[in-house]
């Protein structure tokens, strides 16, 4: 009896130690992300949540058709540099080969060039992009794209009662929105470029991680700072509607 009891106690202690080690590793993984990237993911989640709570927000039918969403938080949230015409944020896609699964791990992205700095008027501005079809999503996953050239882009409509099935919106691969000084509106960003931010992705997911791997392969888990962003999208648009 004493031997059996000791064995049970030893096994329980081993399991407890293993669980503690797992939690420690999880915490280390999260804490190993630089604060700049943690803030970037957390602020992307805050912006997405705030935008989707605006009364005249992105039409629900457009959200439900979006394969991916790109969020660029503003300088007020310490993640957007207007003076350099350079934005840093995150892109999240629905999982699955045909983008029909739940929202997955985000990859870091950068917005550069064009006239968005002037359109923002020097004010802190948040940008949200909806990627509306497979071609647009795959283009963004693989390389830098120029809006209006490599992918068709349009200022997105807003308001729950807006008819979003016009030719312009149906043809667009990417719809763009901005929010500055509390004003939310569709905005044209033709001439700007969106690209994977490889340096930031390596800091979050490891030196060999690419944007395509992060968002298309199941072995990449979303870091803790990204949980609000993913939960907001999953709650607001849980299923793709083609």
């Amino acid at each position: 009896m004493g031997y059996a009891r000791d064995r049970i106690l030893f096994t329980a202690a081993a399991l407890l130690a293993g669980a503690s080690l797992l939690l420690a590793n999880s915490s280390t993984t999260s804490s190993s992300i630089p604060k700049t990237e943690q803030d970037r993911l957390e602020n992307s989640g805050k912006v997405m949540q705030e935008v989707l709570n605006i009364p005249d927000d992105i039409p629900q039918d457009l959200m439900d058709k979006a394969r991916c969403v790109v969020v660029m938080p503003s300088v007020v949230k310490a993640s957007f540099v207007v003076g350099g015409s350079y934005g840093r944020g995150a892109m999240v896609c629905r999982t699955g080969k045909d983008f029909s699964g739940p929202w997955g791990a985000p990859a870091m992205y950068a917005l550069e060039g064009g006239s968005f700095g002037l359109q923002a008027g020097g004010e802190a501005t948040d940008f949200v992009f909806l990627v509306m079809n497979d071609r647009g999503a795959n283009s963004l996953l693989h390389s830098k794209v120029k809006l209006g050239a490599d992918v068709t882009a349009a200022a997105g409509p807003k308001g729950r009662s807006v008819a979003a099935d016009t030719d312009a919106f149906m043809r667009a691969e990417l719809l763009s929105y901005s929010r500055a000084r509390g004003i939310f509106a569709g905005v044209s960003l033709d001439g700007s470029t969106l690209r994977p931010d490889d340096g930031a992705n390596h800091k979050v997911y490891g030196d060999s991680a690419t944007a395509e791997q992060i968002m298309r392969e199941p072995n990449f888990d979303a870091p803790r700072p990204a949980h609000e962003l993913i939960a907001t999208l999953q709650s607001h648009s849980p299923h793709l509607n083609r």
Side-chain angles (χ1 to χ4, degrees):
M1 289 288 292
Y3 175 76
R5 183 188 62 192
D6 290 344
R7 289 279 294 177
I8 292 172
L9 290 174
F10 177 80
T11 301
L15 289 172
L16 182 60
S20 299
L21 181 60
L22 180 63
L23 288 174
N25 287 339
S26 175
S27 176
T28 300
T29 300
S30 180
S31 63
S32 67
I33 301 174
K35 189 176 187 304
T36 300
E37 275 64 44
Q38 289 191 43
D39 290 346
R40 184 168 165 181
L41 290 168
E42 290 173 353
N43 292 332
S44 294
K46 291 175 184 176
V47 167
M48 197 72 242
Q49 187 176 65
E50 291 168 2
V51 164
L52 291 177
N53 285 331
I54 296 172
D56 284 333
D57 66 350
I58 300 169
Q60 184 65 48
D61 57 339
L62 289 181
M63 276 298 305
D64 291 341
K65 291 175 181 176
R67 274 59 168 176
C68 308
V69 172
V70 184
V71 188
M72 295 284 166
S74 74
V75 71
V76 169
K77 300 177 179 64
S79 296
F80 193 90
V81 183
V82 176
S85 293
Y86 186 78
R88 294 179 178 178
M91 174 169 158
V92 190
C93 292
R94 300 180 194 267
T95 54
K97 185 177 180 180
D98 56 356
F99 300 97
S100 61
W103 296 93
M108 303 300 215
Y109 269 71
L111 173 69
E112 298 170 320
S115 59
F116 63 87
L118 297 175
Q119 291 184 18
E123 298 292 330
T125 304
D126 305 316
F127 293 99
V128 175
F129 303 87
L130 303 187
V131 186
M132 301 306 297
N133 58 31
D134 294 7
R135 181 185 179 281
N138 286 318
S139 295
L140 279 167
L141 286 174
H142 292 100
S143 62
K144 176 171 74 174
V145 299
K146 188 172 185 178
L147 307 187
D150 300 320
V151 295
T152 57
K158 66 188 185 77
R160 300 181 187 278
S161 61
V162 172
D165 57 352
T166 62
D167 287 346
F169 302 134
M170 293 295 287
R171 288 196 305 267
E173 293 170 314
L174 189 145
L175 298 175
S176 50
Y177 295 87
S178 71
R179 184 183 65 164
R181 286 187 281 185
I183 299 174
F184 180 70
V187 60
S188 175
L189 295 177
D190 282 0
S192 303
T193 60
L194 274 171
R195 64 167 177 83
D197 188 346
D198 294 331
N201 284 324
H202 295 165
K203 292 176 183 178
V204 176
Y205 294 101
D207 290 342
S208 63
T210 67
E212 182 183 15
Q213 290 171 335
I214 293 164
M215 291 188 281
R216 304 302 283 156
E217 295 182 5
N219 53 317
F220 285 91
D221 294 325
R224 191 175 303 165
H227 287 181
E228 182 178 9
L229 173 60
I230 297 168
T232 297
L233 290 169
Q234 190 63 32
S235 173
H236 193 83
S237 180
H239 305 292
L240 177 67
N241 180 9
R242 294 181 181 274

